[in-house]
Amino acid sequence: MRSALPLADDETTRAWLTVASFMMAVVVVLTPGAFYDPRLLSGADVWAKPLKFALSLALHFITLAILAQLLRPEVRTDRSMSRLVRVSVAAALFEIAYIAFQAARGRPSHFNFDTPFETGMYALMGIGATSLVVIPFLLGLRIHRQRDGDRSAYRLGAMVGLLLAPILTLVVAGYMSGVAYDRWVGDGVGASIPLLGWSRVAGDFRPAHFIGLHAMQVLPLVGWIADRTAPAQARRIVWLSAVLMVVTTIALFAQALAGQPLWPL
């Protein structure tokens, strides 16, 4: 089994780790605003969204940098991979810049069609977000196509997670952005789950989005642990975990569509 660590010193790995470090720096810079800025946006602290997105993007790029180590060096650094890296970096920087810009103005960045500028920027955010979702899928395909004899559960978890998470994310996020045009079914302003901010008074698509999106972290981790604790059953554990995440995502999505919160009052 090829180890995820230590990380190689190549263009792909350095770029994705640099973006992850930048997002953590954004968290440090914006955190004081969450304590000293009293403004609210849709019932939440105005700086909550950029902070959550910065943390999520940091985790996203750390994950990509680690899982990219499963590729042979010549594949990890070829021309097409370099293009994918550049697109992902540009998309992430655009997303966090606009989300923070709108937070500073006290304006929503998502589901905002109030002005032509905000409508256009939201459309561009959709393109950027789609790029950020598709690139892990392409990385998963590259890992799948690389026949190197590695049948570890860790490699299987990485491959399945990278292929599955984008599909689940596009279904849930695509419905939010292109059909519902909202994160809620009903009026979700009010009581929310601490830290996560998910509504406790309306159907909320974000729990399903969260589970689906983070399959790319959970399944490689499950595989890595299973390789070390139950090697004979490790690959089966990964597949069962993948099925569980799909079922959970679908159940949470259906719950949101029914207008029911994950944690009712």
Side-chain angles (χ1 to χ4, degrees):
M1 180 184 69
R2 188 173 304 177
S3 175
L5 297 173
L7 302 182
D9 183 19
D10 56 59
E11 178 186 357
T12 293
T13 305
R14 287 196 306 270
W16 279 342
L17 289 179
T18 298
V19 177
S21 300
F22 175 79
M23 293 300 166
M24 291 308 301
V26 169
V27 172
V28 173
V29 170
L30 296 185
T31 294
F35 288 99
Y36 296 109
D37 191 337
R39 293 177 298 163
L40 298 178
L41 189 61
S42 299
D45 186 285
V46 72
W47 294 105
K49 185 178 288 292
L51 283 170
K52 286 193 290 187
F53 266 77
L55 283 170
S56 180
L57 286 169
L59 178 61
H60 179 82
F61 282 101
I62 289 171
T63 301
L64 294 184
I66 292 174
L67 299 185
Q69 308 308 301
L70 289 165
L71 296 174
R72 291 189 294 270
E74 65 272 16
V75 177
R76 194 168 57 242
T77 57
D78 66 16
R79 184 174 298 178
S80 61
M81 192 71 186
S82 296
R83 291 195 191 100
L84 294 179
V85 170
R86 293 189 184 98
V87 170
S88 68
V89 170
L93 294 178
F94 170 74
E95 296 275 321
I96 196 62
Y98 181 64
I99 292 170
F101 172 71
Q102 287 293 86
R105 299 172 65 212
R107 301 280 296 170
S109 54
H110 290 69
F111 313 110
N112 183 353
F113 309 98
D114 291 346
T115 68
F117 169 74
E118 288 167 325
T119 300
M121 292 298 283
Y122 183 53
L124 290 175
M125 284 185 66
I127 296 172
T130 301
S131 300
L132 288 170
V133 171
V134 169
I135 287 170
F137 185 86
L138 297 177
L139 177 59
L141 283 179
R142 285 185 164 227
I143 293 173
H144 172 66
R145 291 169 179 168
Q146 180 172 279
R147 307 296 182 181
D148 57 4
D150 183 352
R151 291 185 51 80
S152 66
Y154 168 67
R155 180 183 182 276
L156 177 64
M159 181 184 67
V160 175
L162 288 168
L163 294 175
L164 182 62
I167 295 172
L168 296 176
T169 300
L170 287 174
V171 170
V172 179
Y175 187 89
M176 279 195 294
S177 301
V179 179
Y181 293 108
D182 206 339
R183 63 186 66 85
W184 300 311
V185 174
D187 184 2
V189 177
S192 61
I193 297 176
L195 297 179
L196 297 170
W198 300 337
S199 177
R200 297 185 63 192
V201 296
D204 197 323
F205 294 112
R206 290 174 294 179
H209 181 46
F210 181 88
I211 298 297
L213 177 65
H214 290 296
M216 72 172 70
Q217 285 89 29
V218 172
L219 294 179
L221 181 60
V222 166
W224 185 84
I225 294 172
D227 278 330
R228 286 155 177 77
T229 58
Q233 302 295 323
R235 290 173 63 87
R236 180 177 297 178
I237 291 171
V238 169
W239 284 117
L240 289 174
S241 299
V243 171
L244 178 61
M245 296 198 77
V246 171
V247 170
T248 302
T249 301
I250 293 172
L252 292 173
F253 185 59
Q255 184 181 41
L257 286 173
Q260 299 298 316
L262 174 65
W263 180 7
L265 288 173

